[in-house]
Amino acid sequence: MQKPIFPIVPEPVPLPRFSAADDLRAAIALWTAWLLGERRASAHTIAAYGRDLCSFFDFLTEHLGESPSLASIDGLHPADFRAYLARRVGDGIERSSLARNMSVLRGFVRFLQRRSLVATTALAALRSPKLPAAVPKPLTVDDALAALDAAGELGREGWQGKRDTALLALIYGCGLRLSEALGLGRSEAPTGEMLTITGKGRKTRQLPVLPAVREAIANYLAVCPYTLAADDPLFVGARGGPLHPRLVQRQMAAVRGHLGLPATATPHALRHSFATHLLGAGGDLRAIQELLGHASLSTTQRYISVETERLLAIYDDAHPRARTAHRETDRCRR
């Protein structure tokens, strides 16, 4: 098929250096612009997709002996994609990363097909690696509350301890992602009963804010040594700049060590805890989906399995018939 000729446009998000013909580079620029504009993907997401795509083009350059073009993509066979997968497995890439690589490739090729730039169906013959279903690992209610208290105690400066407590209270109390909490500006500090959050895909959602969360944030702002303008970040670091996620993760690691919590007790685990504890208290699954900002209900349904496991464990420990069965099993083993 004849490929349309179009000018090269700059990519909205810079990608790593890679070898490709001009027509393919132009198609990639259109694809990244589409991701940013229509799909509302973040620059971070586009950069991650771009790295996966560039690794494939680097492989094709070596595999084909020349810089890939749209014609090269159109002429690929299932065996070429299998060779790429074999190379990635040989490089020691994890199964989850391999599945993401294939998802990015499928998405890019579908984009080219919809715009009549390629007609290949070679990817249809390949199956993505199967991944075990990821089950969220929340904290218990007591551990979640203890983590908030410990964060305040472990702060290097008194105001930093109150900041960390406020941040973790906001994540646990409203079910925020760490990036959403750190993305709040000073003018967005919750002072009322509701908080507006812009999450993934630039979708906004309204969240109720507990009095304890508002109090924790007010306590932090009262002792923060920096005068924060309306457009400044709500949570700032030791020098007054934006608080880096890595510092929050490092502080949570200190909390884990202090309390003897497992390695799964991360800032994101507090978001899992928010959803699991609501579900355990009888919360509606659809409402929890809205609060978390999940696009699909199937994502929220993962928390059902967590709650089911907890209920089965309680039943197993508490029900007389279950205890009798355990005694019989122990007796047979002896």
Side-chain angles (χ1 to χ4, degrees):
M1 61 184 297
Q2 185 177 1
K3 306 298 186 297
I5 299 175
F6 40 77
I8 297 178
V9 296
E11 294 150 352
V13 177
L15 301 182
R17 296 183 62 181
F18 62 95
S19 178
D22 287 350
D23 62 348
L24 182 54
R25 286 185 177 276
I28 294 167
L30 290 176
W31 174 67
T32 54
W34 173 76
L35 287 173
L36 188 65
E38 294 191 30
R39 294 296 299 274
R40 296 184 175 182
S42 68
H44 176 77
T45 297
I46 295 173
Y49 286 1
R51 287 191 294 271
D52 287 337
L53 206 57
C54 291
S55 72
F56 177 65
F57 295 144
D58 288 342
F59 164 79
L60 280 186
T61 300
E62 179 183 345
H63 184 65
L64 302 175
E66 61 182 6
S67 297
S69 63
L70 284 175
S72 303
I73 301 295
D74 205 27
L76 292 177
H77 299 284
D80 298 310
F81 289 104
R82 291 192 184 99
Y84 170 65
L85 293 177
R87 169 68 63 84
R88 297 294 279 163
V89 171
D91 291 340
I93 188 172
E94 293 184 0
R95 186 179 291 244
S96 57
S97 298
L98 196 61
R100 190 195 64 229
N101 283 180
M102 290 302 298
S103 177
V104 171
L105 279 177
R106 291 183 194 279
F108 178 64
V109 171
R110 280 197 299 268
F111 173 84
L112 299 181
Q113 290 169 340
R114 285 195 297 267
R115 282 151 183 79
S116 300
L117 298 177
V118 301
T120 179
T121 58
L123 269 172
L126 272 70
R127 292 184 179 178
S128 295
K130 260 196 167 183
L131 297 175
V135 177
K137 296 178 175 59
L139 282 68
T140 65
V141 173
D142 289 342
D143 285 345
L145 296 177
L148 304 189
D149 293 337
E153 298 169 4
L154 298 176
R156 294 184 179 179
E157 301 288 342
W159 75 271
Q160 291 178 357
K162 291 184 181 298
R163 175 203 65 196
D164 295 341
T165 295
L167 175 60
L168 297 184
L170 186 61
I171 294 173
Y172 176 50
C174 296
L176 300 188
R177 301 176 178 92
L178 177 57
S179 60
E180 292 171 343
L182 295 181
L184 288 173
R186 172 62 182 87
S187 63
E188 299 172 299
T191 56
E193 295 183 352
M194 300 300 291
L195 171 66
T196 301
I197 286 292
T198 301
K200 284 187 176 181
R202 302 180 197 172
K203 296 177 181 177
T204 60
R205 63 188 192 274
Q206 294 283 326
L207 301 173
V209 184
L210 297 170
V213 174
R214 297 199 299 269
E215 181 182 356
I217 293 175
N219 290 341
Y220 151 60
L221 290 174
V223 297
C224 179
Y226 300 101
T227 302
L228 303 178
D231 57 350
D232 284 339
L234 173 58
F235 296 103
V236 295
R239 298 182 180 180
L243 183 61
H244 197 279
R246 184 70 191 102
L247 294 178
V248 182
Q249 292 161 353
R250 189 180 303 163
Q251 190 65 3
M252 193 65 184
V255 169
R256 287 199 302 269
H258 180 72
L259 297 176
L261 299 177
T264 54
T266 63
H268 199 67
L270 290 173
R271 173 173 157 88
H272 291 325
S273 304
F274 164 84
T276 306
H277 298 166
L278 281 182
L279 187 63
D284 176 73
L285 194 63
R286 283 285 185 186
I288 295 172
Q289 176 192 1
E290 292 294 326
L291 292 172
L292 292 174
H294 286 160
S296 171
L297 184 63
S298 62
T299 306
T300 316
Q301 285 174 330
R302 296 180 304 162
Y303 295 101
I304 294 179
S305 63
V306 176
E307 183 61 16
T308 301
E309 288 180 8
R310 186 186 71 85
L311 291 174
L312 287 174
I314 292 174
Y315 178 88
D316 207 36
D317 290 341
H319 197 282
R321 296 294 294 180
R323 292 200 300 270
T324 301
H326 283 314
R327 285 195 295 269
E328 287 298 319
T329 300
D330 291 340
R331 184 179 63 80
C332 292
R333 285 175 179 172
R334 289 196 296 269

